Each structure stands twice: as C-alpha cells, then as structure tokens.
Amino acid sequence: MSKFVVIGGKPLQGTVTVSGAKNAVLPIIAASLLTAEPVVLEDAPDLLDVSVMSQVVEAVGAHVVRDGTTLRLQAGQILNIETPHELVSKMRASFVTMGPLLAREGHVRISHPGGCAIGSRPINWHLKGLEALGAEIRMDHGYLDARAETLRGARIYLDFPSVGATENIMMAAVLARGVTILENAAQEPEIVDLANFLNEMGARVRGAGTSIVHIEGVKELHGAEHLVIPDRIEAGTYLLMAAAAGGDVLVENVIIDHLKPVLAKIEEAGIHFEDEGDGVRIIREGPYKAVDVKTQVHPGFPTDLQAPFMALLAKAQGSAMVTETVFENRFMHVDELKRMGADIKIDGRSALVQGVSRLAAAPVAAADLRAGAALILAALTAEGTTEISGVEHIDRGYERIEEKLAGIGGPICRED
C-alpha cells in the first residue's frame, strides 16, 4: 500500500492548475450510454473514480479510450443491462447509470451502491423519481430490477435536493415521452454541466442550476464533444492549503462563481485573495482568525470542503463552530487531526475547534476522500514529517496531488 510523506512548515509559492471536475464527469460518462454515437470528453481527470465509472459503462457494452485528458466513449450497442456488483459497490456515483440504461433499454439491474462511508445517502429519491416516469422497480436477490416499456414525462418533487437523484431523473427524462418538471432539484454546478452536455446531444433541458428543471423528452440523442468544467472542490482544497501553509499561490482553471461561499469564509478569516479572471491568488503571511462554518447544499458552503476547512481552523486564532448538515458521519478526520495536536470537540453534528499555536507530525490515516485532503493540509502546517496512509481514498478525487503540490513547493512524496 502507498502512503504520503509530508514535511511541514514550508510556505507554498507558484501556480497550480485545477483538473476537470470529478463530480461532473462521472454522470456525463453515464449519460454517454444514452446514444449509440461517439462522445468525446475533454479535460476528463485521470482519477480512480473515473476509471471505475469507465469500467461500469464498458461492462454494459461501451467502448472507452483515454488519450491524455481526452476520454472517448461509444456505446454502439448495450450488451448487458446488469451492472457488475463488484464495480457498483466501489463507487456510489455508478448508480446514475440506472437512468440512462432504463431510458435507452427499458430495463436495468443494479446493486445497491457503495462509496465513502460518510453517512446514509438514501436511494429512495432516485427510485421515487424513476417510478413517477413509469418504471416498475423491485428487489431481486440484492439487485434493483427496473423496467419500463415506455417512460412518460411527469411532475416530480424531490423531498431533498439530491444531486444523484436529480442526475438520474434528468437522464431518464430526456428520452421520455412528454415533459418532465423536476422540483426541488439540486442546483450544483455539476448539474448544470450535465444539462449542457445533454443539450449538446440534442436533449431539451431548461432550468438546470435552479430548483425547477424542465425536461422535454426527445426521440433520440446523438454524439457530442464536451469540455468538463473545472473541479471546484479541488480548487477549494488548494486555496485552503495555500491559506494554511502561507505564501503566494495562484490556483488556475477556476470558475470563481462556483467558489463564492468558500472565498467568503476565507475573506472572513482575514486571508487575502485576488480574482485573476480564470484563477484565484491566495496570499497569506500573518495569522488568521477562526470563523464559524455550516455546510449546506449548493449554493451554500460545500460539505466536500468541510474537512479541509476544519484543518485550516486547527491553527486559527480563536475558536469556531463547524456544523455539518448534509451528512451525519463526516467527522472521521477529527480523531486524526487530534493526533496531530488539534483541539476539537464533537457534539452531534457540530464540532468546536479551538485554534492551537502548533501541530505536530504523526502517523495518520485517511478514512475517506476529503478527510485525506484535510490530513495533507494539516501535515503541510505541522512541525516534522507526517506519514499519511489510506492514499487510495485520496486518489479517488485528486489527480496527481503530490505532483501538483510539489510544483508549488509542497514537500510531499508518495512511498510504497
């Protein structure tokens, strides 16, 4: 197994470029199953999750080829309507293949999804929406078996603005007969990117990025070329790392509107940043203050940056309350930060962080993707050399993170 070795205490300097968004490209790969024609995705990050999703669509008949940051896919014929359990169990996002396969083939079998153990993420919102479109769904030996001779547009209200449910319903509805109105839809930028891709394929989707999405079904879709949006979570992670370690770092390939809640908290903490057009520059020399953070669905503060922000707060001046409202089990990084000297007390879904003057290196383990990013951030600010295991979680969502950090002076290396 691999581990990261990080030497703390060195300011960061230079430019780091953000890759395409993991959470955007995964449903777009699934959406490629909606057409028999070729699909080309540019700036597709080379990540473990992207590899798993590629294997999922290959398992049902798609042909996938990677050429650098370009991903070429073609599902000329669907050969298998059952997605392999061993792949679906690795990554929850693979569940969004249900909508496209149901829309194209009228039948899909898929096991319950896996992914990071950060809390309960019910699939009932997915199933409710697909059933409203006309699907009949039943459990069969651990698999969900969904059938629909004809999908028909419907008015669907989501009890919670689930990103995955919004994506699954959108992809099923684009080939349904009539109009679908999806209310209380997720509003994340990745939803907008998926809608743009579907429209490039000939779909008729309006309102993505708002709480009400209109989908007018079409008879068929065609191939398309699409540039994946930058990864706002990766961008936010590097901004927070630069803020924590200090120095002067330009984070390039950023859509600044996607980072407004994060930048607002960075500014509130007294850390200087500059809008560079397609990038954000972070400059920090002196101390910074603690600020309260409460995660929310978009456009609120993203839950995926809660762990790295808590690691930043570990050395802030004063105390701050971090409240997690999206997932109930997303404080798995806390014990590891405390091993490094952080002063954190958990009460239910809130954590009180009292800033300390120093963190000390310690052997720590990443329990999930964003916890891993938080531990790297903490290690950059700690005294001594920190060893981080659980690198496979970090590789799920950060492309060549050790190379990118090394490029801005981050003393990090990967060891087997």
Side-chain angles (χ1 to χ4, degrees), residues 19 59 83 148 205 209 214 260 267-268 297 315 338-339 342 365 405:
S19 301
T83 56
V205 181
H214 293 251
K260 283 183 176 179
E267 185 175 48
E268 187 180 340
V297 295
K315 291 185 68 175
K338 289 169 71 173
R339 286 169 55 83
L405 277 174

Side-chain angles (χ1 to χ4, degrees), residues 56 109 140 146 192 276:
V56 171
R109 282 172 55 84
D140 180 26
V192 179
E276 300 280 347

Side-chain angles (χ1 to χ4, degrees), residues 20-40:
K22 173 183 84 82
N23 290 336
V25 76
L26 296 179
I28 289 174
I29 291 173
S32 70
L33 297 174
L34 288 164
T35 178
E37 296 184 9
V39 165
V40 180

Side-chain angles (χ1 to χ4, degrees), residues 42 44 76 103 179 205 214 244 309 328 354 363:
E42 300 290 351
V179 176
V205 181
H214 293 251
F309 202 91
E328 72 274 14
Q354 177 65 54

Side-chain angles (χ1 to χ4, degrees), residues 315-366:
K315 291 185 68 175
Q317 291 186 333
S319 61
M321 187 68 72
V322 177
T323 304
E324 174 61 55
T325 72
V326 181
F327 295 117
E328 72 274 14
N329 191 26
R330 206 153 202 184
F331 286 154
M332 292 189 291
H333 51 283
V334 169
D335 284 344
E336 302 302 287
L337 291 176
K338 289 169 71 173
R339 286 169 55 83
M340 302 177 71
D343 184 353
I344 306 171
K345 295 179 178 64
I346 297 178
D347 182 12
R349 287 197 173 192
S350 295
L352 178 64
V353 185
Q354 177 65 54
V356 297
S357 59
R358 63 183 290 272
L359 295 177
V364 292

Side-chain angles (χ1 to χ4, degrees), residues 24-35 49-62 64 73 75 78 80-85 87-89 91-114 123 126-127 130 135 137 143-147 151 163-175 194 198:
V25 76
L26 296 179
I28 289 174
I29 291 173
S32 70
L33 297 174
L34 288 164
T35 178
D49 273 11
V50 177
S51 175
V52 172
M53 182 62 91
S54 298
Q55 292 174 59
V56 171
V57 297
E58 284 178 319
V60 300
V64 183
L73 309 99
I78 301 299
N80 182 13
I81 52 85
E82 183 175 302
T83 56
H85 169 74
L87 293 176
V88 176
S89 63
M91 187 183 63
R92 185 176 186 84
S94 55
F95 197 71
V96 295
T97 55
M98 191 175 191
L101 286 172
L102 185 63
R104 182 167 169 185
E105 294 297 308
H107 186 196
V108 59
R109 282 172 55 84
I110 188 167
S111 64
H112 279 276
I123 60 172
H126 301 245
L127 306 185
L130 296 176
I137 305 173
Y143 277 76
L144 288 161
D145 188 286
R147 299 171 185 263
L151 292 177
V163 172
T166 300
E167 293 166 345
N168 241 337
I169 295 166
M170 281 173 52
M171 288 187 281
V174 292
L175 292 181
L194 173 61
L198 292 171

Side-chain angles (χ1 to χ4, degrees), residues 188-206:
E188 276 74 1
E190 294 79 16
I191 298 292
V192 179
D193 205 36
L194 173 61
N196 289 340
F197 173 68
L198 292 171
N199 287 339
E200 290 160 4
M201 296 172 73
R204 297 172 182 172
V205 181
R206 295 184 292 112

